[in-house]
Amino acid sequence: MGILWFGGAKKLDDLKVKDLRKERTRQEVEQDQLIARIRRAGSEFDGYLDAASEPGTTNAEVEVAAYKMDRASRRKAKAESNLQNVITRIQVVDSTIDILEQRKELEKRGIWKVISDMDEDRLQEQLEKFASERKTRHLGVNKIAEMLEIDEMDVKANRSSGFRKAREAILTARTSREEWRNDR
């Protein structure tokens, strides 16, 4: 497979900073696209919630909206998961660039030989650990929030938990709107 998702790269010596920077740019574009997907899915979810929670909405319309909200929620969760992978790749690429840029200093201390002699799997593992340490030490960034976990299907009603949550959110919002309008 190769380290850092580069098919032919088996050792650090096989990697070039120029190629890593191109890979980082490619990952940043992917990151931007995933963020846009997450926002669209969130807006879609909110739109269905808003429309379906209007007083007078039929049960059939509520159920259709709940299914669509569930689908939007699943797309958002998948995009968030993919975004986590992209962020990890960017961090690993950044840490690898740092290592390559410090090559002369690492050679002086005898560390480069140890790193360059590592097998592919061990090197990948070390680069990922270095990325994690680099993130905490230099950036002070907390871990990214856990991704939403959505059950596949609610066994009893043959509906997903996302559907049930979406339907409940619609009905709660509808009740709140009706109470607000009645109080006016």
Side-chain angles (χ1 to χ4, degrees):
M1 179 173 119
I3 56 172
L4 297 182
W5 319 281
F6 287 98
K10 304 279 186 203
K11 302 278 183 189
L12 271 181
D13 292 325
D14 298 336
L15 299 172
K16 306 288 182 249
V17 172
K18 180 180 170 184
D19 294 335
L20 290 170
R21 286 200 171 112
K22 285 180 185 177
E23 176 63 17
R24 188 181 202 295
T25 300
R26 194 182 74 67
Q27 293 295 326
E28 286 174 342
V29 168
E30 178 72 16
Q31 179 181 19
D32 292 343
Q33 291 171 343
L34 288 167
I35 289 170
R37 282 184 207 150
I38 291 167
R39 286 184 182 143
R40 277 192 308 269
S43 293
E44 186 178 328
F45 181 94
D46 293 342
Y48 286 124
L49 174 62
D50 189 47
S53 62
E54 284 293 323
T57 309
T58 67
N59 282 340
E61 292 170 324
V62 167
E63 293 204 6
V64 168
Y67 277 116
K68 289 180 178 183
M69 288 169 65
D70 182 38
R71 281 195 333 230
S73 180
R74 288 173 189 258
R75 281 195 314 275
K76 182 179 178 186
K78 183 178 180 181
E80 287 172 338
S81 177
N82 292 339
L83 178 61
Q84 177 61 45
N85 292 333
V86 167
I87 290 170
T88 299
R89 284 183 175 197
I90 289 172
Q91 292 168 345
V92 172
V93 167
D94 286 345
S95 65
T96 305
I97 290 171
D98 286 349
I99 289 172
L100 291 174
E101 288 177 341
Q102 297 174 29
R103 180 178 179 157
K104 290 189 193 264
E105 184 63 32
L106 293 170
E107 285 174 342
K108 286 180 188 176
R109 296 183 183 189
I111 298 170
W112 184 261
K113 178 151 178 46
V114 173
I115 294 172
S116 64
D117 288 344
M118 285 183 187
D119 66 63
E120 187 179 333
D121 292 333
R122 176 93 168 115
L123 179 59
Q124 180 75 28
E125 180 182 313
Q126 288 302 107
L127 290 172
E128 290 170 2
K129 284 182 182 177
F130 184 71
S132 176
E133 290 176 25
R134 179 181 182 269
K135 179 174 110 175
T136 338
R137 189 172 14 140
H138 294 294
L139 302 176
V141 177
N142 293 327
K143 289 184 179 179
I144 294 175
E146 292 180 22
M147 297 296 121
L148 296 175
E149 184 176 317
I150 301 173
D151 297 329
E152 286 302 313
M153 292 296 226
D154 176 42
V155 176
K156 184 175 179 181
N158 199 25
R159 293 180 176 156
S160 68
S161 63
F163 169 85
R164 289 184 295 115
K165 290 175 186 175
R167 189 173 192 285
E168 186 62 35
I170 291 169
L171 297 176
T172 300
R174 178 194 285 175
T175 302
S176 295
R177 282 185 178 188
E178 287 173 348
E179 289 173 357
W180 181 79
R181 286 185 180 157
N182 290 336
D183 289 342
R184 288 178 66 187

